[in-house]
Amino acid sequence: MQRSNRKDSLRTRFARWDDGHESSDSRTRRTFLRGVAATGATGIGLTSTAGAASEPYSQYEGDYRNVVDVVDAGADNTGEESITPVLEDLRADNTLLVFPEGRYYMDEQFRFTGFDNFGVVGDDATLVPANYHDFAGPQYRLFRLGVSYSPGSHLRFEGFDVDQRAPDTGIRVIEANAADRLEVRDVTVYGEHDSGTWGPGLFNVTDPDGWGIVERFRAPHGGAWVNNTPHAGNRWRGPIGIEANQNAGTLEFRRCWLGGFPNNGLYAAGGGGTIIVHGGLYRNSNGANVRVGGQGSKIRWPTVEVDETRPEDKTQRGIRIENGKNVKIHGAAVEITSPKPTSHAISVMNSCESARIENTRVELRGSDVNHGLVLSPDCGETVIASTEISHDTAGGYPLWIRDSDRTEPVLVEHLSISGAAGDGGGFRDGIRCERDNCRFSHVDVSQPGRDGVDRNAIVNTGSDLTVYRSDLRASQYPFVDLGADTLVRDSVLESSGDNEAACLYASAEDPTFKKNKLVDGIRNLGANGVTTWENNHA
């Protein structure tokens, strides 16, 4: 009965956290994140087993030759004795190990590789790791199922709570490499990962034709920096929340939740396979909260929040995409209210060959300088569509397209930028466009400036920029041109600071303005080849 009460307490606390964020600004956050799919806190509700056991777990009948109740086989479910020796005796191919209700103490790793079909499932089961000092052998993992050079073929692991609330009990729950099929579901880690060893989960599909899903893997309390743990000096930074950097197949992370980890939250940027992130909540990790690469990878409907910064945290980016091609971000909600100077909301890195960001909302607030969407100099073709950025910081660029020698186009359409930011660090433009061959269509930029500072809507230093059917308003200049061959047409440009609609510097060459509303006209500081046609200056 006491174990049951303890489990109920754990689940009650998690359910409160899962249902909503119990903080003073929870209503604001929920409003910002409206429409984002919520992650359920319920377990898988296993009720049956197959095979030689009994009626329970019948849903697995036919999937395994052997279905074994680990308690019937001698495993202690009171949390007093280590179960690893029993698991070692039960290890066999084409086998499902079933954990009935109870607490299962583990003080050494269980390892099984090269299998064809193996599963581990829990029914109201809690794993209890030994502390760092008492853990035998490698102090890194509870379950190591498949390795890169000898993966399993089919693997199932689901239905466990992991109680890491006692000091120094943080450990990797599962490390899994499967060639054909990987299924991990409903694993919840309670307590901070505080031992400094590898983070809660590592997953890879090793065959290009294989697939996997990691669903509702949750570690909401994050991990400690390594120098604050008994593993100090042995690692850089500390644990990663979920790692998948050798994936070759298709691997989906569905409705996973991670708290703040010191070395990235979800880190799935290596390997040549496809990563899918669907939903979930990722909060306060250092490095990046969601870091993804791969071919045709997709990040769909995640919620990313940064509202806490520890003294050791240096960067807390929202989403970072890299090492891939045709990477898509769709329906993301990114909110950063505790920014660091390089904590961009979304970063498209140099190694990203092509990307699309659409139907995404970004909100940045705070007293520090911070940027929104940042396209690195060597990234490839990028499309930003139907996206909103609210930017209320001490300074920074809501959209920064950095200087590049690459010629692939950047297309921005149906983008809305709002908020009153400052000019800290000299970053005072709504859109900073430093790259050639960019197209802005149906862009709405409002930059009123914080506390009377001068902000510009768009500043262009590149060549061959087109601005079409856009609404640009700013406290200083709606449009500033220092580049070449710019075309602005069918747009509205208006300054709230008694300035002209556009400012053309001497370096600007051959700018063209057609059929615009240019309130108070154009300020020309020596630009060459200026063309105007049918503009309204009223």
Side-chain angles (χ1 to χ4, degrees):
M1 180 66 68
Q2 184 177 3
R3 289 194 304 275
S4 213
N5 288 340
R6 181 180 300 173
K7 178 66 69 62
D8 288 344
S9 175
L10 281 170
R11 285 186 170 162
T12 299
R13 294 215 313 267
F14 184 80
R16 288 201 305 268
W17 181 84
D18 186 59
D19 289 339
H21 308 291
E22 295 186 325
S23 62
S24 61
D25 63 342
S26 61
R27 181 175 301 176
T28 300
R29 185 178 292 111
R30 285 194 296 269
T31 299
F32 168 68
L33 300 175
R34 65 185 182 275
V36 178
T39 302
T42 57
I44 56 177
L46 295 177
T47 58
S48 64
T49 108
S54 56
E55 182 79 19
Y57 305 101
S58 60
Q59 69 264 44
Y60 299 120
E61 187 174 359
D63 290 346
Y64 301 92
R65 182 179 301 116
N66 305 305
V67 177
V68 181
D69 183 315
V70 298
V71 175
D72 288 347
D76 174 59
N77 68 343
T78 69
E80 299 298 326
E81 297 181 9
S82 176
I83 65 168
T84 308
V86 175
L87 301 184
E88 295 286 347
D89 290 340
L90 298 175
R91 180 174 53 202
D93 208 346
N94 215 346
T95 296
L96 177 70
L97 301 182
V98 174
F99 287 64
E101 180 180 1
R103 293 173 63 82
Y104 298 87
Y105 178 70
M106 297 183 70
D107 62 0
E108 58 183 318
Q109 169 184 278
F110 172 74
R111 186 179 190 270
F112 191 19
T113 65
F115 52 84
D116 286 328
N117 189 22
F118 183 67
V120 183
V121 299
D123 180 8
D124 202 19
T126 297
L127 303 174
V128 184
N131 70 46
Y132 176 88
H133 308 283
D134 295 334
F135 206 87
Q139 297 162 303
Y140 304 135
R141 318 171 190 86
L142 296 183
F143 290 88
R144 192 179 195 191
L145 305 175
V147 292
S148 60
Y149 55 87
S150 182
S153 181
H154 294 181
L155 172 64
R156 171 182 280 123
F157 186 96
E158 57 189 39
F160 289 96
D161 291 339
V162 186
D163 188 356
Q164 295 185 172
R165 295 173 300 160
D168 302 335
T169 56
I171 196 167
R172 175 163 290 169
V173 177
I174 175 174
E175 180 171 310
N177 288 271
D180 297 328
R181 188 175 73 209
L182 170 66
E183 297 180 67
V184 177
R185 294 184 176 91
D186 296 291
V187 177
T188 300
V189 179
Y190 296 94
E192 184 184 34
H193 191 290
D194 63 352
S195 69
T197 61
W198 295 330
L202 181 148
F203 310 100
N204 292 298
V205 175
T206 61
D207 191 288
D209 295 325
W211 66 272
I213 185 167
V214 178
E215 186 171 16
R216 295 184 297 276
F217 188 97
R218 300 169 291 203
H221 302 109
W225 278 76
V226 67
N227 288 339
N228 300 325
T229 75
H231 205 58
N234 294 320
R235 285 182 59 78
W236 181 58
R237 290 182 174 177
I240 297 167
I242 297 175
E243 184 175 357
N245 281 317
Q246 294 179 305
N247 178 64
T250 298
L251 178 57
E252 178 175 355
F253 295 93
R254 189 174 184 87
R255 295 181 176 178
C256 297
W257 289 26
L258 295 175
F261 283 87
N263 191 7
N264 296 287
L266 172 59
Y267 190 1
T274 299
I275 297 292
I276 300 171
V277 179
H278 185 98
L281 175 63
Y282 302 89
R283 305 182 69 230
N284 296 324
S285 284
N286 185 70
N289 285 272
V290 176
R291 184 172 176 179
V292 168
Q295 306 304 309
S297 295
K298 299 178 178 63
I299 302 171
R300 305 183 300 213
W301 305 109
T303 300
V304 179
E305 299 177 358
V306 177
D307 60 5
E308 293 181 1
T309 300
R310 297 172 290 189
E312 300 90 350
D313 292 329
K314 301 301 180 184
T315 65
Q316 292 175 293
R317 299 189 187 193
I319 299 174
R320 170 174 169 165
I321 55 177
E322 60 189 296
N323 297 334
K325 186 175 183 179
N326 298 327
V327 180
K328 179 183 289 187
I329 300 173
H330 179 94
V334 182
E335 182 182 18
I336 299 180
T337 58
S338 179
K340 298 293 289 183
T342 54
S343 298
H344 314 328
I346 298 176
S347 294
V348 182
M349 303 302 291
N350 289 325
S351 57
C352 188
E353 286 296 315
S354 54
R356 183 180 180 90
I357 302 167
E358 62 184 13
N359 295 322
T360 290
R361 296 190 65 200
V362 171
E363 182 172 334
L364 299 99
R365 303 191 306 273
S367 58
D368 209 340
V369 173
N370 208 356
H371 306 296
L373 275 62
V374 179
L375 277 56
S376 297
D378 289 329
C379 73
E381 179 178 350
T382 303
V383 176
I384 301 169
S386 302
T387 289
E388 301 176 17
I389 304 173
S390 176
H391 186 250
D392 288 280
T393 72
Y397 304 139
L399 173 58
W400 188 2
I401 305 171
R402 300 189 61 184
D403 189 15
S404 176
D405 292 330
R406 298 191 67 155
T407 60
E408 296 94 331
V410 172
L411 173 62
V412 181
E413 55 185 7
H414 297 284
L415 171 68
S416 173
I417 295 176
S418 62
D423 60 356
F427 302 112
R428 60 180 186 178
D429 309 324
I431 297 177
R432 181 80 178 186
C433 180
E434 301 172 348
R435 178 169 171 155
D436 298 346
N437 198 19
C438 294
R439 302 288 184 269
F440 299 154
S441 174
H442 297 83
V443 170
D444 187 341
V445 183
S446 176
Q447 292 291 283
R450 174 183 289 189
D451 300 326
V453 305
D454 291 331
R455 296 277 300 182
N456 305 304
I458 296 179
V459 172
N460 174 60
T461 65
S463 298
D464 195 23
L465 168 68
T466 297
V467 179
Y468 176 68
R469 287 191 178 275
S470 296
D471 195 337
L472 310 180
R473 302 178 190 275
S475 57
Q476 186 164 256
Y477 293 110
F479 184 78
V480 177
D481 194 17
L482 298 90
D485 300 314
T486 298
L487 171 62
V488 181
R489 60 168 299 170
D490 298 292
S491 298
V492 177
L493 286 67
E494 183 175 8
S495 170
S496 61
D498 297 326
N499 293 310
E500 293 83 355
C503 180
L504 311 179
Y505 279 82
S507 60
E509 296 183 359
D510 301 321
T512 300
F513 296 82
K514 292 184 178 182
K515 303 180 71 173
N516 303 290
K517 181 177 179 181
L518 305 175
V519 178
D520 292 329
I522 296 173
R523 184 180 184 186
N524 189 345
L525 300 178
N528 294 315
V530 179
T531 299
T532 62
W533 183 63
E534 291 190 9
N535 297 293
N536 179 2
H537 293 178

